Amino acid sequence: MKIRVAIAGARGKMGQEAVHTIMKQQGMELVAVLDYKEVGETLGDTDVFPDSFTVPVFLELAHLHRETKPDVLVDLTSPESVYEHTKQALDLGIRPVVGTTGFSDEQLKELTAQAECDRLGCIIAPNFAIGAVLMMKFAQQAAKYMPEVEIIEMHHDQKLDAPSGTAMKTAHLISEERQTHAQGHPNEKETLEGARGADYTGMRIHSVRLPGLVAHQQVMMGGEGQLLTIRHDSFNRGSFMSGVVLSVERVMELDQLVYGLEHIII
């Protein structure tokens, strides 16, 4: 039986890539998309998909659920709406696969408890690129031996949140191996506020936003006479699709919320 998939945010750049990817999967069926405004009755009525794309478009998730009964909702929308989408999907018995960042710690705790109570799978992935997940895991392992760390994340200039979810997830993983401590000279002083970046348990995180970038991150670890740099680059949004497909498949086997793709690939 094919996995019935709905996508929220199908007209965005990631969403468009996900539509084409899901439609190519033999074990999946794209049954609906969720949009925040009236764009037509089907994807073919929009200006970004061929007329032959007859997948229906809905403005409300409850209506979408009644009409199409999806197993999974792939959410690629914005930080402003993703929490409500995820919560409502769980309420409706739909398994969320979320690629949008911006959840607060309290929201994650609430969704984790809800998924566990309802015994529904939910995957929230700050980054769907397999290489980016490996970068995070390698950095976590290296931090045990090289705890002086700075993270530089670089994204396109239309990204809404900073630092990125990937940078925050990386910092969190590193903090599990690295004892909290301040880095740099104890009398260090910023002559321009923000010059040293954000402070996460003493690590520094720097965000770059420029046109032409997609998604890039490097973790720099310094030691006496040496520097280790672990870097990942996504040059196009196709780099995220293998993780989307894997997550849709694996979320059907889960009965709890999983935060981070590293928990299902390693």
Side-chain angles (χ1 to χ4, degrees):
M1 180 181 292
K2 291 187 176 183
I3 302 173
R4 298 173 63 81
V5 181
I7 295 177
R11 291 185 297 112
K13 291 180 179 179
M14 271 282 286
Q16 292 179 47
E17 195 75 40
V19 166
H20 292 288
T21 297
I22 296 299
M23 292 180 73
K24 292 176 183 176
Q25 303 305 307
Q26 292 186 351
M28 299 177 191
E29 179 183 2
L30 182 62
V31 297
V33 299
L34 181 68
D35 211 301
Y36 71 95
K37 68 177 183 179
E38 186 67 56
V39 293
E41 294 184 0
T42 71
L43 280 180
D45 296 328
T46 69
D47 57 358
V48 294
F49 293 102
D51 294 341
S52 59
F53 281 37
T54 58
V55 176
V57 179
F58 296 87
L59 296 176
E60 297 178 352
L61 185 55
H63 185 200
L64 182 155
H65 176 254
R66 286 196 304 271
E67 296 295 325
T68 64
K69 297 294 190 295
D71 300 307
V72 177
L73 174 69
V74 176
D75 195 302
L76 302 168
T77 56
S78 66
E80 292 78 17
S81 57
V82 68
Y83 166 71
E84 290 299 331
H85 286 172
T86 306
K87 188 176 188 307
Q88 188 179 10
L90 290 171
D91 288 338
L92 294 168
I94 307 170
R95 291 169 166 82
V97 168
V98 183
T100 306
T101 56
F103 291 96
S104 68
D105 290 342
E106 287 302 315
Q107 289 173 338
L108 285 173
K109 288 179 183 178
E110 181 180 342
L111 293 171
T112 298
Q114 183 177 354
E116 183 177 358
C117 180
D118 296 338
R119 298 189 63 80
L120 276 175
C122 175
I123 295 176
I124 299 176
N127 198 315
F128 279 121
I130 302 299
V133 177
L134 294 173
M135 170 200 63
M136 289 187 271
K137 290 296 290 183
F138 296 158
Q140 180 186 30
Q141 294 167 8
K144 186 184 301 183
Y145 307 99
M146 301 184 73
E148 304 300 309
V149 183
E150 303 224 359
I151 299 170
I152 304 174
E153 56 95 349
M154 299 156 280
H155 285 79
H156 55 88
D157 61 346
Q158 299 303 302
K159 186 170 178 58
L160 297 177
D161 57 326
S164 68
T166 299
M168 292 301 297
K169 180 66 175 178
T170 305
H172 174 72
L173 290 172
I174 289 172
S175 70
E176 294 179 352
E177 300 292 342
R178 173 190 177 275
Q179 186 174 356
T180 298
H181 67 278
Q183 296 179 176
H185 196 284
N187 297 324
E188 178 183 82
K189 181 180 179 180
E190 290 182 331
T191 57
L192 184 63
E193 185 178 356
R196 289 289 291 119
D199 187 321
Y200 186 97
T201 67
M203 284 179 282
R204 295 292 179 165
I205 305 176
H206 310 267
S207 297
V208 177
R209 299 290 179 267
L210 286 172
L213 297 173
V214 178
H216 317 263
Q217 179 172 294
Q218 60 185 36
V219 183
M220 303 175 69
M221 299 177 168
E224 184 65 33
Q226 60 181 317
L227 175 69
L228 172 65
T229 300
I230 304 172
R231 177 171 176 133
H232 178 264
D233 298 276
S234 285
F235 299 110
N236 59 58
R237 288 166 179 83
S239 65
F240 306 116
M241 291 303 110
S242 59
V244 171
V245 171
L246 176 64
S247 296
V248 170
E249 293 172 342
R250 290 298 303 276
V251 78
M252 297 295 296
E253 305 168 4
L254 298 174
D255 59 3
Q256 61 184 325
L257 185 148
V258 170
Y259 182 67
L261 211 59
E262 71 275 7
H263 297 296
I264 64 173
I265 69 169
I266 298 178

